[in-house]
Amino acid sequence: SDVGSQKERVVTEEEWLQKWEMGNIGFHKEQGHPLFQKYLDVLLNGRSGLRIFFPLCGKAVEMKWLADMGHSVVGVEVSEQAVKEFFSEHSLPYYEEPVSEISGAKMFQSTSGNISLYCCNIYDLSSSIVGKFDGVWDRGALVAVNPRDRQRYASLMINLVEKNSSYLLVTVSYDPNKHKGPPFYVPESEVKSLFG
Ligand code: SAH
C-alpha cells in the first residue's frame, strides 16, 4: 500500500523530549513486549554473556531482564529523563560520565557495569565508540526513525552487529493514510531492501 503520506514526516528531537516531559509515552510497556518473550530464544540462541543493543531504547524493561540473565546491555536514547527513569524505576544505582568522542553526550552506566545507556542522537554512535553487538532488540526504533533517515539508520545498525548476530525487529502494519505516525508503517519489502 501507499506510504507516500508518511514519507516527508519529521519528528524533531525536541518533540521527543517533550513527549517524555508531558508523560506522553504510550509506547512504553511496563510489562515488556509480548514478542520479546516469544522470540527471546531466537535472540539468544543458547548463547550466554552476549552484548545486546537497544536502539532508541526509551526505558524498555527488557534491558533489565537481559542484564539479570547475565548479558550486557547497551542502549541509546536522546531523552535524559527516560534514561534516569529507567535506572530509578528499577532501583539501579548508576553513574554518569561524558562521552569524549561525542560533544554533549553522556553515558549512564549501572554501577554493576552491565547496563550502559548513551544519551545522545543515535547517528552520533559508531562501532568505534560502542563496539559491536551479538544481538539487537529493535522495537519502537526503526518504526520511530523519520522515514527519510531509514537508510542511514539501517546502515548504522548493520555496522554495529557482529557477523553471527540476531536482530529482532518489531514493526507495525496499518493503513498509513489513517495515522501520521510514529510508529511509522514500514512495509516488509522495505525491511528487506534496508537489511538485505
Ligand atoms: N524502544 C523503546 C522506545 C520507543 S519510542 C520502547 O520500546 O519502549 C522511541 C524512542 O526513541 C523515544 O524514547 C525517543 O526519545 C527516542 N529517540 C527518537 N529519535 C532518537 C534519535 N535520533 N536518537 C536517540 N533516541 C531517539
Side-chain angles (χ1 to χ4, degrees):
S1 59
D2 175 35
V3 295
S5 51
Q6 291 187 336
K7 254 205 328 247
E8 318 293 330
R9 177 146 156 75
V10 173
V11 180
T12 62
E13 195 172 307
E14 195 49 49
E15 287 175 85
W16 281 110
L17 299 181
Q18 262 165 29
K19 283 180 201 281
W20 280 99
E21 272 166 41
M22 308 291 291
N24 191 3
I25 52 163
F27 50 80
H28 177 66
K29 290 202 175 298
E30 265 173 55
Q31 309 300 324
H33 197 286
L35 291 172
F36 181 85
Q37 309 277 11
K38 183 164 180 199
Y39 292 103
L40 181 60
D41 290 347
V42 176
L43 182 65
L44 303 179
N45 195 19
R47 302 167 298 171
S48 53
L50 301 184
R51 297 192 76 228
I52 312 280
F53 186 50
F54 280 66
L56 279 60
C57 61
K59 52 175 181 178
V61 297
E62 293 89 347
M63 298 195 284
K64 172 73 164 52
W65 298 350
L66 283 169
D68 287 346
M69 290 173 216
H71 303 288
S72 92
V73 170
V74 174
V76 60
E77 167 57 52
V78 78
S79 163
E80 183 167 329
Q81 181 186 338
V83 169
K84 287 183 167 165
E85 285 180 12
F86 172 79
F87 287 112
S88 67
E89 287 172 15
H90 296 284
S91 310
L92 288 169
Y94 66 92
Y95 68 91
E96 55 182 271
E97 59 180 32
V99 181
S100 57
E101 298 94 333
I102 311 170
S103 101
K106 281 194 248 178
M107 197 266 285
F108 294 74
Q109 188 173 71
S110 58
T111 48
S112 51
N114 50 0
I115 304 178
S116 306
L117 305 185
Y118 286 77
C119 187
C120 63
N121 194 309
I122 189 169
Y123 305 112
D124 292 332
L125 290 185
S126 64
S127 57
S128 62
I129 301 171
V130 291
K132 294 207 183 228
F133 297 96
D134 308 300
V136 177
W137 173 244
D138 183 325
R139 182 268 168 175
L142 175 64
V143 296
V145 161
N146 289 322
R148 65 172 189 194
D149 297 327
R150 272 178 203 157
Q151 185 63 64
R152 186 180 182 194
Y153 173 84
S155 304
L156 171 63
M157 296 308 292
I158 289 165
N159 243 281
L160 291 182
V161 294
E162 300 276 10
K163 278 235 156 54
N164 268 313
S165 55
S166 322
Y167 193 117
L168 292 188
L169 171 67
V170 182
T171 62
V172 285
S173 183
Y174 65 90
D175 180 349
N177 298 304
K178 295 201 170 136
H179 177 61
K180 63 185 164 92
F184 298 110
Y185 170 52
V186 186
E188 182 145 10
S189 58
E190 193 171 345
V191 172
K192 288 201 171 120
S193 68
L194 288 170
F195 293 96

